[in-house]
Amino acid sequence: MAEVAQKKIYKYKKVLSNPSRWEVVLKEIRTLVDMALTSPLQDDSINQAPLEIVSKLLSENTNLTTQEHENIIVAIAPLLENNHPPPDLCEFFCKHCRERPRSMVVIEVFTPVVQRILKHNMDFGKCPRLRLFTQEYILALNELNAGMEVVKKFIQSMHGPTGHCPHPRVLPNLVAVCLAAIYSCYEEFINSRDNSPSLKEIRNGCQQPCDRKPTLPLRLLHPSPDLVSQEATLSEARLKSVVVASSEIHVEVEPASTAKPTLTASAGDDNEPNLIDCLMVSPACSTMSIELGPQADRTLGCYVEILKLLSDYDDWRPSLASLLQPIPFPKEALAHEKFTKELKYVIQRFAEDPRQEVHSCLLSVRAGKDGWFQLYSPGGVACDDDGELFASMVHILMGSCYKTKKFLLSLAENKLGPCMLLALRGNQTMVEILCLMLEYNIIDNNDTQLQIISTLESTGAGKRMYEQLCDRQRELKELQRKGGPTRLTLPSKSTDADLARLLSSGSFGNLENLSLAFTNVTSACAEHLIKLPSLKQLNLWSTQFGDAGLRLLSEHLTMLQVLNLCETPVTDAGLLALSSMKSLCSLNMNSTKLSADTYEDLKAKLPNLKEVDVRYTEAW
């Protein structure tokens, strides 16, 4: 019996290898399919052979009309109900999806074929063309008039009407198709990334080589021996990157030839802050620009929407969270605002899920790696809000009560600034987090502890919670009576109102060093700054602090020694007022509207000025 079937297949192979008239060919294909379906011997070779013959026929005859293509697809459709199409046939199907997405063949013939692939495929790595065909089929559905609604109904059909999907392979196969499609959207950028930035560089904002002038050594007016040697060191070095966090300014110096140590100036240590803190700044690097073409843009929109649909199913969410935990997207996608903004819905769904197996996947797979928690938290590459998603992630992760102290330590080390900012704005979760940090003695630095206390006392809920904590731990009250912190760093994105709220909450008579760098403060905050009698160092780098604020500071803060105005909108009108601040010994006016005349005037009137930065100004 097998021999008879083989002979028939051989006969059809011979007939179809030299086609003459296509109506005859089509008739032979139908007969071949009927033979395979009615053969009493049902095995893979009997069913696959006709598909292989037709696949070869199509690859050797590329001049067929669209109608002839469709007729052949309809003719072999019955065989596809129980058999995967071979690779060459997949290629032919892909082409048809791209060229005729609205053809009824796509809906009527391809739909059951793709459903079978998603239910039964075990490894797309071994048959990548099946994945590509599935990808093109979904894009063809998206081209229909109802577009995304048709895709949504298809996803619903794959899940099934019940609360649990009966086919365990469907979800991983759909995710694999989504990942491959999204990756393809960024292939142009990926293939051209000779010096493409790492994810760490993207996260830190240094995403492309700076197109501005290279950083030069600082200009010294009255150099001391120590400062001269420091300048010599810097002149041999090339500034590689500047990483700015809420609690420190970290400058990495890469020497041109011999190895030199990395210079780090942290606002939280117990040493006197190095002047690099306020003077060694680099012009901001441009952000990575990702613009997709129209087709890639439509593809991205379709497949991110599918990921969002997948995250809506409760029974799929644990596996989806696990599949996405290692962050399987290219870094170009993570630097693309449209992608991360749309994917935020999926991450929010994970953060809202009370099951630990779901929300724990927000964290990285292992220490030192980025997880969704890092990417979507304030300062992360994907963050586009004021911390709402971050707060909900922290709330659910803390509520699960696993490795609580370890998680608090991680927050204190990496996300203390955002925690304090949100607590300052009354977020209940962050108020609780700060209290726990004090209760578990997570924070070693006294100034930071005092800043946390001041933050808590700036809101009603924080004040009540802190008082309850003090009843249990008397030493905290003693700490506060010592007169407040000597150093303070406001988190990035803080506003004038945030600063006012914080400074009105406690005692800041001892405050000597205040950093408002990379916040949203303006000249309006000057009325609060002038009430800090001990202030000696003020960092206003990259804020909107202007001339009106400078004039007010110059009248009241006559003891100020270090002032950083880099990348602020100040002009000569405000800078001239600084001539009354006789204690100034270091002044950064990099990237401001300083003129040469004003610079000469300041040099003449400020006898103690030793370090000055006037790069990217008229005075340079």
Side-chain angles (χ1 to χ4, degrees):
M1 194 178 290
E3 190 177 334
V4 173
Q6 291 295 339
K7 282 182 178 179
K8 286 184 179 180
I9 288 170
Y10 179 75
K11 176 194 137 187
Y12 285 113
K13 190 181 291 186
K14 193 171 181 183
V15 170
L16 294 173
S17 63
N18 292 302
S20 51
R21 298 197 323 240
W22 278 99
E23 59 271 18
V24 176
V25 169
L26 191 59
K27 184 179 177 183
E28 293 290 347
I29 291 173
R30 287 177 183 143
T31 309
L32 172 61
V33 171
D34 287 340
M35 183 276 297
L37 293 172
T38 57
S39 172
L41 184 67
Q42 289 295 312
D43 62 21
D44 288 345
S45 63
I46 297 297
N47 289 315
Q48 282 294 123
L51 294 176
E52 298 285 354
I53 291 170
V54 173
S55 179
K56 188 172 186 292
L57 176 73
L58 291 168
S59 64
E60 292 175 353
N61 296 271
T62 56
N63 57 345
L64 298 181
T65 65
T66 303
Q67 190 58 52
E68 287 167 338
H69 277 173
E70 294 201 352
N71 289 339
I72 292 172
I73 293 171
V74 171
I76 63 173
L79 280 178
L80 294 169
E81 290 179 13
N82 296 304
N83 299 277
H84 285 340
D88 287 344
L89 205 54
C90 280
E91 197 117 337
F92 171 68
F93 289 174
C94 286
K95 184 180 178 189
H96 196 80
C97 286
R98 285 191 293 267
E99 294 178 357
R100 295 280 315 255
R102 297 170 186 271
S103 163
M104 287 310 294
V105 164
V106 172
I107 298 292
E108 294 178 359
V109 179
F110 289 167
T111 298
V113 178
V114 172
Q115 286 175 329
R116 187 179 187 281
I117 291 170
L118 289 173
K119 289 175 183 176
H120 300 294
N121 172 68
M122 296 303 293
D123 185 4
F124 275 135
K126 292 179 180 176
C127 38
R129 291 188 191 178
L130 286 180
R131 181 179 60 204
L132 188 61
F133 168 46
T134 307
Q135 181 179 323
E136 293 293 348
Y137 163 78
I138 291 173
L139 289 175
L141 294 187
N142 197 42
E143 290 294 320
L144 300 176
N145 289 337
M148 206 57 225
E149 281 305 308
V150 182
V151 174
K152 187 174 182 178
K153 285 179 181 174
F154 174 73
I155 299 297
Q156 287 171 341
S157 76
M158 294 311 303
H159 180 272
T162 63
H164 295 280
C165 177
H167 296 282
R169 292 300 310 164
V170 169
L171 178 65
N173 282 337
L174 274 172
V175 171
V177 170
C178 288
L179 297 182
I182 291 169
Y183 187 92
S184 72
C185 296
Y186 299 94
E187 274 186 315
E188 179 186 344
F189 297 93
I190 292 166
N191 293 336
S192 64
R193 64 182 184 195
D194 294 336
N195 295 304
S196 184
S198 67
L199 181 56
K200 182 179 178 183
E201 289 168 330
I202 291 172
R203 186 177 68 249
N204 291 330
C206 293
Q207 296 163 345
Q208 285 181 343
C210 246
D211 55 1
R212 293 167 73 172
K213 298 171 186 176
T215 309
L216 295 183
L218 309 179
R219 182 175 302 182
L220 306 182
L221 297 183
H222 307 291
S224 66
D226 288 344
L227 290 172
V228 169
S229 63
Q230 186 184 85
E231 183 189 28
T233 299
L234 294 173
S235 65
E236 293 174 3
R238 175 171 58 86
L239 191 63
K240 184 174 69 175
S241 65
V242 176
V243 179
V244 180
S246 59
S247 61
E248 67 173 8
I249 297 177
H250 179 98
V251 183
E252 295 180 328
V253 179
E254 183 183 88
S257 53
T258 57
K260 291 286 192 302
T262 298
L263 300 177
T264 303
S266 172
D269 58 25
D270 293 325
N271 301 321
E272 192 64 26
N274 194 302
L275 292 183
I276 292 176
D277 230 25
C278 300
L279 293 173
M280 270 302 293
V281 295
S282 168
C285 292
S286 58
T287 56
M288 190 178 207
S289 177
I290 299 283
E291 279 192 39
L292 302 181
Q295 181 57 42
D297 201 57
R298 284 195 297 274
T299 299
L300 181 70
C302 174
Y303 280 98
V304 175
E305 198 63 33
I306 290 175
L307 289 175
K308 291 160 75 173
L309 290 172
L310 299 181
S311 72
D312 283 334
Y313 290 100
D314 285 347
D315 57 317
W316 271 355
R317 206 174 297 128
S319 294
L320 179 64
S322 179
L323 288 166
L324 297 186
Q325 187 180 20
I327 310 189
F329 302 102
K331 59 196 176 194
E332 286 77 6
L334 299 173
H336 186 201
E337 185 179 355
K338 179 178 179 179
F339 172 73
T340 54
K341 192 168 187 178
E342 289 296 314
L343 194 68
K344 186 176 179 182
Y345 177 88
V346 178
I347 307 307
Q348 183 76 58
R349 298 294 279 153
F350 295 164
E352 292 168 351
D353 197 300
R355 292 169 290 184
Q356 185 176 324
E357 61 185 309
V358 177
H359 60 245
S360 64
C361 290
L362 294 168
L363 298 168
S364 57
V365 179
R366 60 183 183 273
K369 289 282 186 181
D370 275 316
W372 295 115
F373 177 76
Q374 283 81 13
L375 293 188
Y376 277 93
S377 58
V381 65
C383 182
D384 65 348
D385 58 24
D386 287 329
E388 293 87 352
L389 178 56
F390 172 65
S392 64
M393 289 193 288
V394 171
H395 177 75
I396 193 77
L397 288 167
M398 282 300 297
S400 62
C401 294
Y402 68 99
K403 299 180 181 176
T404 303
K405 188 166 184 180
K406 184 178 178 182
F407 186 57
L408 282 171
L409 281 165
S410 172
L411 285 177
E413 185 178 342
N414 301 305
K415 301 295 174 188
L416 184 56
C419 288
M420 285 196 285
L421 178 59
L422 291 172
L424 200 57
R425 294 175 178 177
N427 184 278
Q428 183 71 20
T429 297
M430 295 307 164
V431 167
E432 292 173 8
I433 290 291
L434 294 186
C435 281
L436 284 171
M437 286 181 179
L438 293 175
E439 186 170 3
Y440 291 170
N441 201 23
I442 298 292
I443 308 295
D444 292 330
N445 184 276
N446 277 6
D447 282 327
T448 307
Q449 286 180 335
L450 290 167
Q451 183 171 346
I452 288 175
I453 292 168
S454 300
T455 301
L456 290 170
E457 294 203 320
S458 66
T459 65
K463 197 167 188 175
R464 285 192 301 275
M465 202 171 290
Y466 176 64
E467 285 173 356
Q468 292 169 3
L469 179 59
C470 285
D471 289 339
R472 300 194 299 272
Q473 295 190 1
R474 297 291 177 85
E475 66 272 14
L476 286 175
K477 206 68 179 174
E478 291 300 316
L479 176 68
Q480 194 182 16
R481 287 184 185 135
K482 293 177 183 176
T486 58
R487 299 185 187 185
L488 197 62
T489 300
L490 238 67
S492 62
K493 294 190 178 182
S494 298
T495 63
D496 292 330
D498 295 324
L499 178 64
R501 199 177 300 120
L502 181 64
L503 293 181
S504 64
S505 66
S507 170
F508 290 93
N510 293 338
L511 189 63
E512 296 181 359
N513 185 326
L514 174 62
S515 176
L516 303 177
F518 311 103
T519 63
N520 297 328
V521 300
T522 68
S523 291
C525 75
E527 61 182 278
H528 302 288
L529 299 180
I530 60 176
K531 298 173 185 176
L532 301 171
S534 302
L535 196 63
K536 295 178 182 177
Q537 301 180 7
L538 177 61
N539 189 346
L540 294 166
W541 182 12
S542 196
T543 63
Q544 291 304 305
F545 197 90
D547 293 337
L550 276 189
R551 284 193 285 267
L552 195 55
L553 293 186
S554 64
E555 291 176 21
H556 296 270
L557 297 182
T558 54
M559 301 306 292
L560 202 66
Q561 296 175 6
V562 177
L563 179 61
N564 186 342
L565 299 170
C566 178
E567 294 180 343
T568 57
V570 296
T571 68
D572 287 348
L575 291 168
L576 279 169
L578 297 180
S579 58
S580 63
M581 303 176 79
K582 304 299 183 184
S583 297
L584 273 179
C585 61
S586 64
L587 178 60
N588 189 331
M589 298 175 285
N590 183 322
S591 305
T592 62
K593 295 178 181 176
L594 171 73
S595 70
D597 288 344
T598 297
Y599 176 51
E600 293 301 323
D601 190 66
L602 286 174
K603 280 198 296 183
K605 293 180 179 177
L606 296 175
N608 293 316
L609 201 59
K610 295 177 181 174
E611 290 192 15
V612 139
D613 188 346
V614 295
R615 290 168 292 172
Y616 314 110
T617 68
E618 287 183 13
W620 189 28

